[in-house]
Amino acid sequence: MRWRRAHKQRGEPAFRFEREGEGLIRLAGELRLEDAAELWRLLHEATNGLKAGKVIVDVDGVTKADGGSMALLVELRAELAARGVDMDVTGASKVVEPIVSLYMCDEAPCPLYRHETESTVAQIGRATIHVGHEAKEIVGFFGEMVLAAVRLVRAPRSGHWRDVIRLIERSGADAVPIVLLINFLIGFVMAFQSARELKLFGANLYVADLVGIAHTRELAPLMTAIIVCGRSGAAFAAEIGSMKVSEEIDALRTLGLGPFGWLVVPRVIALMAVVPVLTLLGDFMGILGGMLVAVSDLDLSVRGYLHETTLSVEPMDVGTGLLKSAIFALAIALIACQQGFAATGGAEGVGRRTTATVVASLFALVLIDALVTVAFRVVGI
C-alpha cells in the first residue's frame, strides 16, 4: 500500500500512514490531536481482522507527536491485547522518544532510540556553537539592562533602590576578610618567589617595584574579581534562578514591576560600587605581603620598602587596576543575572546555571583582562 500523504492544509491530516503486510504499520509526519479521528480510523482498518500474532508500529518518520495521538496508540494496544495480539512501537527519534516512552512504557523508559556517540570534532563544534549562543544571549541581556536603566532614569521611583545598600553589604563588606587575606598571600608569595633571584643580582630593593606594579595593575583586580565571582556571582545566579523557577519573576511582571529594573540594575550598581573599593584594599594588602618578605628575607627596612613603592607605583597604575575592576564587576553581574533568568527545571536547573555562572565568569574575566591589558599597551598606558 502506498503512503497516504497529507499536507498541512485545512481539513487534511498532517501525518502519513502505510501498512506493510499484516504486522507492520508505518507512521510519518506530525501526529496531532485534530487528526485523531482519521488516525484512529486507519489504525482500526489495518488491525480489524487480526486475532493473534504481533503488530509493530514504526514511528521512525514521525517528527512531532502530542499526548492525544499517543493515547490512541495506548488504546489500540489495549484492544489488541484483549484479542491476543501484541503491539510494539519502535523507531522513535530523539524528538518524539520522550513522549512515546511516557505513554507506551509501563515501567522504565523503552529503549526506542539508540544514541550514537558523538565524535570529538562534533563535540567541539557543538560546544563552540553553545558558547556563541551564550555570548549572544549575554549581549542581548546587556541591551535589556541598558534600556531598563534608561527607564529608571526617567522614572527613578520605579527602581528598587533600597536593595542596593543590602547588596553592597553582602557583596562588599562581607567579602572584605577573604579579599584582604587572599591579596596579602598573593603579594607574599610573589615576593618570596622572586627573593632568591633578586639576591643573586643584588637587586633586593626592586622587590617593591615588582610587587607594587604587578599587584596594582593586574593581580589585585583579577584576584578580587575571582573572589567576587565565586561569592556574589554564584549567589546572584542562584537567587534569581530560584525566583525564576518559582514564578516570582512572573509575579513581578503581574504587579507592573520590571524584572530588569527591580533585580538586575541594583545588582550591577552594587558590584560596580564595591569591587573597585575591594581592589584598592587588595592593593594595600598585596604591598604589605611583599613588605613582610622584604623585611624578613631581603634585609630591607620598612621605610626603604615603602619609599621605593611610592617611587615605582604611579597613580596611573592604580587607576588602570580600578578601571579593570569596574569592567570585571559589570561582566560578573551581567553573566550572573543572565544565567539566573535562564534557569529552568527546578532545583537541578538552578544548580546548573549557578555552575555555568562561575565557569563563564572566570572565562570572561581572563579574556577581558587580556583584551584590556593589550588595549592599555597600545595606547601607551
Side-chain angles (χ1 to χ4, degrees):
M1 182 180 293
R2 294 183 178 179
W3 284 104
R4 299 191 181 184
R5 300 182 61 109
H7 304 283
K8 293 183 181 180
Q9 298 177 359
R10 185 177 182 85
E12 296 185 2
F15 67 88
R16 293 178 295 169
F17 183 96
E18 180 186 18
R19 179 184 176 186
E20 293 185 5
E22 295 292 333
L24 179 59
I25 297 174
R26 298 185 186 275
L27 296 175
E30 298 184 5
L31 303 182
R32 308 179 304 181
L33 180 60
E34 51 264 38
D35 302 328
E38 180 66 13
L39 176 61
W40 185 246
R41 184 184 66 80
L42 294 173
L43 290 174
H44 257 275
E45 288 181 359
T47 60
N48 192 29
L50 296 178
K51 300 296 182 181
K54 185 175 183 179
V55 174
I56 296 177
V57 179
D58 185 1
V59 294
D60 180 60
V62 175
T63 58
K64 184 178 179 181
D66 57 20
S69 59
M70 289 298 103
L72 292 182
L73 294 180
V74 173
E75 179 63 21
L76 178 64
R77 183 177 63 174
E79 288 189 6
L80 292 175
R83 289 185 277 165
V85 180
D86 295 330
M87 183 185 120
D88 288 335
V89 177
T90 62
S93 64
K94 291 181 180 180
V95 178
V96 300
E97 179 186 2
I99 192 168
V100 173
S101 299
L102 178 63
Y103 277 82
M104 302 304 298
C105 292
D106 298 326
E107 297 178 358
C110 300
L112 299 172
Y113 185 84
R114 177 177 294 178
H115 296 277
E116 298 181 358
T117 303
E118 285 186 323
S119 65
T120 303
V121 176
Q123 293 181 20
I124 294 174
R126 183 166 51 82
T128 303
I129 294 175
H130 179 71
V131 170
H133 177 72
E134 289 291 334
K136 179 181 177 181
E137 292 291 331
I138 292 173
V139 172
F141 193 85
F142 176 73
E144 292 285 348
M145 192 271 294
V146 171
L147 294 177
V150 172
R151 288 192 292 268
L152 287 177
V153 171
R154 295 178 177 176
R157 293 185 178 181
S158 62
H160 195 195
W161 305 115
R162 289 181 296 179
D163 202 34
V164 174
I165 303 301
R166 179 184 65 87
L167 293 170
I168 288 177
E169 181 180 358
R170 283 176 46 195
S171 306
D174 293 348
V176 168
I178 185 65
V179 169
L180 296 182
L181 177 61
I182 293 297
N183 280 279
F184 178 84
L185 294 177
I186 291 296
F188 177 87
V189 171
M190 184 187 303
F192 191 80
Q193 292 291 339
S194 61
R196 182 178 179 180
E197 302 300 326
L198 293 174
K199 283 182 180 180
L200 292 177
F201 296 96
N204 297 14
L205 183 62
Y206 292 106
V207 69
D209 303 63
L210 175 65
V211 174
I213 295 176
H215 208 78
T216 54
R217 292 184 70 98
E218 288 292 335
L219 292 178
L222 188 58
M223 294 307 301
T224 301
I226 290 174
I227 296 170
V228 172
C229 165
R231 290 186 76 260
S232 303
F236 289 171
E239 183 178 346
I240 295 178
S242 298
M243 296 178 67
K244 173 68 181 305
V245 299
S246 61
E247 300 181 352
E248 293 181 41
I249 293 179
D250 295 332
L252 287 177
R253 292 191 177 96
T254 303
L255 295 173
L257 303 174
F260 280 84
W262 198 259
L263 298 174
V264 179
V265 175
R267 283 164 173 78
V268 172
I269 293 175
L271 281 192
M272 293 189 69
V274 302
V275 174
V277 176
L278 292 175
T279 300
L280 193 59
L281 295 176
D283 291 341
F284 288 112
M285 293 305 297
I287 292 173
L288 290 179
M291 185 179 68
L292 179 60
V293 176
V295 173
S296 61
D297 192 42
L298 296 176
D299 300 325
L300 296 179
S301 65
V302 174
R303 177 176 296 181
Y305 178 87
L306 294 178
H307 179 68
E308 181 65 20
T309 299
T310 57
L311 292 178
S312 60
V313 179
E314 299 178 356
M316 184 60 68
D317 298 324
V318 179
T320 55
L322 296 180
L323 179 58
K324 281 185 178 181
S325 67
I327 299 175
F328 292 160
L330 177 61
I332 293 171
L334 286 178
I335 293 174
C337 294
Q338 187 270 328
Q339 292 291 336
F341 273 90
T344 56
E348 183 181 356
V350 174
R352 286 198 303 266
R353 289 297 176 175
T354 303
T355 303
T357 296
V358 177
V359 175
S361 297
L362 292 178
F363 175 78
L365 292 179
V366 176
L367 179 61
I368 292 172
D369 182 60
L371 294 177
V372 174
T373 301
V374 172
F376 285 164
R377 181 65 179 270
V378 171
V379 300
I381 297 179

